[in-house]
Amino acid sequence: MTSRPNTAQIAAIVDEAALSGTAIAQFTAQFEFNVDEAYAVQTQSIDRRLARGERLVGVKMGLTSRAKMAQVGVDQVIWGRLTDAMIVTEGAPLSIGRFVHPRVEPEVAFLIGASLAGNVTIAEAMSAVEGVAPAAEIIDSRYQNFQFALADVIADNSSSSGFVVGPWASPEVDISNLAMVLSVDGRPAQIGSSAAILGNPLRSLVEAARAAASAGLTLEPGWIVLAGGATAAEPLAVGSTYRVDVESLGSVAFSVTA
């Protein structure tokens, strides 16, 4: 393995890859690189975005499926930051040109109504929620040949690249086991349940509060938390329309252009 650059240098590489939609080499194949260092890189790469004028609007959770955890050999979820530049307007076309390996996952989104941070209970997490909504997260690994390890993913903002949120519903809706369907051009491509998200998406919100606090962040009123994918991700293709339907919550859709 080669000598390792510092986290600021790695953050610059990651940031440029996301900004230009250019593939980069897998870090863990070049040098020793652990999870703590990867989160430091994530923080510094997002700081570069904030310095350009973007603002934080929430966080996303990843590896919230027990099957995905087992697949990569971890016992806790990962997370990333959301900025306003990642927002995709519902129903609007999304240009695929700024991505490398874009995919979409069906999710449940939370709208934070009161500050939330640290080790909280599900009841405390619920009391901070102003609304819940169907959502789609556009994930994108910027690594060449789609080759990466856990630390690589975390450094790459846990693959978060874009998101679209549907209409907000009352937080009193029971979201523990809702049918979720991801359709491509009107045909179901992925079918699952919100129960696949840590058994209940609210558990993902609890993890989001804990994870954010570990980085000195508080989930702020107005922020959005994406709970994690309920099914496998579906690749994006030019000319196709993607729709997420969540039982009791409604739907959200977007189309893809060149």
Side-chain angles (χ1 to χ4, degrees):
M1 293 195 176
T2 62
S3 60
R4 173 173 50 183
N6 62 40
T7 54
Q9 291 171 319
I10 300 173
I13 294 170
V14 170
D15 179 51
E16 180 56 34
L19 190 62
S20 62
T22 304
I24 55 176
Q26 178 184 352
F27 298 121
T28 55
Q30 303 174 68
F31 44 79
E32 296 294 335
F33 188 48
N34 64 39
V35 166
D36 288 341
E37 291 167 329
Y39 275 118
V41 168
Q42 181 190 124
T43 298
Q44 291 168 355
S45 68
I46 293 297
D47 283 346
R48 292 172 62 91
R49 299 188 189 195
L50 301 183
R52 289 196 297 269
E54 296 181 33
R55 60 183 177 86
L56 282 179
V57 296
V59 302
K60 61 78 53 91
M61 306 306 292
L63 295 181
T64 51
S65 152
R66 297 298 182 190
K68 287 185 179 179
M69 285 185 187
Q71 184 179 29
V72 298
V74 300
D75 59 2
Q76 65 181 30
V77 298
I78 62 174
W79 68 289
R81 276 91 158 171
L82 303 175
T83 77
D84 59 333
M86 299 179 190
I87 297 172
V88 177
T89 303
E90 182 183 6
L94 173 70
S95 172
I96 204 171
R98 62 187 177 100
F99 302 107
V100 180
H101 302 293
R103 288 164 165 75
V104 60
E105 294 179 338
E107 306 213 6
V108 171
F110 296 102
L111 177 62
I112 302 301
S115 298
L116 189 66
N119 295 319
V120 300
T121 65
I122 285 183
E124 289 170 333
M126 287 179 64
S127 69
V129 175
E130 185 173 314
V132 291
E137 183 185 10
I138 294 90
I139 58 174
D140 186 25
S141 171
R142 264 71 63 156
Y143 296 104
Q144 294 168 359
N145 303 316
F146 207 60
Q147 296 292 315
F148 46 79
L150 182 64
D152 298 306
V153 175
I154 292 169
D156 192 25
N157 197 30
S158 294
S159 300
S160 188
S161 300
F163 65 97
V164 53
V165 178
W168 295 107
S170 167
E172 296 180 3
V173 174
D174 182 359
I175 59 172
S176 62
N177 188 18
L178 301 180
M180 299 180 67
V181 180
L182 171 61
S183 300
V184 182
D185 297 328
R187 297 183 296 274
Q190 299 288 341
I191 299 174
S193 165
S194 61
I197 305 169
L198 292 182
N200 183 331
L202 281 166
R203 292 196 181 101
S204 186
L205 180 58
V206 167
E207 287 296 317
R210 179 198 59 76
S214 72
L217 294 176
T218 295
L219 303 182
E220 303 285 358
W223 276 22
I224 291 170
V225 175
L226 297 180
T231 71
E234 195 71 17
L236 296 188
V238 174
S240 289
T241 297
Y242 298 80
R243 174 173 166 144
V244 173
D245 288 278
V246 182
E247 178 186 4
S248 301
L249 294 185
S251 63
V252 64
F254 66 95
S255 56
V256 177
T257 61

